[in-house]
Amino acid sequence: MSKKFLVTLLLVSTLIVLLSTLAIALSSCGESSGPQTGNPPTGKNVVHMGNNDFLQSSITIRKGESITLVADTAPPHVITNGSWEGSTPKASKESGAPTVNDVNVNGNSSQAIGPFTTAGTFHLYCTVHPGMNLTVIAQ
Ligand SMILES: [Cu+2]
């Protein structure tokens, strides 16, 4: 009697685990059709910018793809290879990085950067806004 109960309990909990796994699989499947995923298709590599920052600190793309920077607000941004180290801007272009030299992204507009034809980790920053760094990982 007790053993039968335990077996039933085991079966029911297994069923619950299977159902929740299915639910998670279905919901993540729905998310993957959105623009921001770990393995995005070409043209979906969008990074938004606020008044004085990137809304995400890094983005992972496939080698050969470009990114699109979108200024969500009015202040313009000027993007260059390198990064802010504290309050000091350090212009620096990694080997294999696309040249990004004072690319203007006007307020409420967008600008493509790239393509990133070499696998690696690349740094971009906004010369206008201290600390506004973006890391692009091409793989
Ligand atoms: Cu900026």
Side-chain angles (χ1 to χ4, degrees):
M1 178 70 173
S2 169
K3 193 176 179 183
K4 202 170 186 177
F5 173 75
L6 282 175
V7 168
T8 307
L9 195 66
L10 187 69
L11 283 175
V12 168
S13 49
T14 305
L15 193 64
I16 289 170
V17 168
L18 280 175
L19 284 175
S20 48
T21 306
L22 189 67
I24 290 167
L26 284 175
S27 62
S28 57
C29 185
E31 280 169 21
S32 70
S33 62
Q36 294 294 322
T37 65
N39 210 9
T42 302
K44 300 286 187 181
N45 303 323
V46 174
V47 176
H48 291 269
M49 301 181 288
N51 284 333
N52 55 10
D53 57 0
F54 290 105
L55 299 193
Q56 61 193 83
S57 59
S58 70
I59 182 171
T60 301
I61 65 172
R62 292 183 198 148
K63 187 176 76 169
E65 291 181 342
S66 297
I67 62 172
T68 301
L69 302 181
V70 180
D72 290 341
T73 58
H77 302 277
V78 180
I79 310 301
T80 290
N81 295 99
S83 57
W84 287 93
E85 291 174 12
S87 57
T88 307
K90 295 272 169 73
S92 166
K93 181 176 170 294
E94 296 93 350
S95 163
T99 298
V100 184
N101 187 16
D102 288 344
V103 171
N104 285 276
V105 186
N106 294 324
N108 297 306
S109 72
S110 67
Q111 183 71 49
I113 304 283
F116 293 79
T117 56
T118 303
T121 299
F122 306 103
H123 297 91
L124 299 173
Y125 74 109
C126 175
T127 62
V128 180
H129 299 116
M132 185 168 170
N133 292 326
L134 179 69
T135 302
V136 180
I137 300 159
Q139 50 184 217

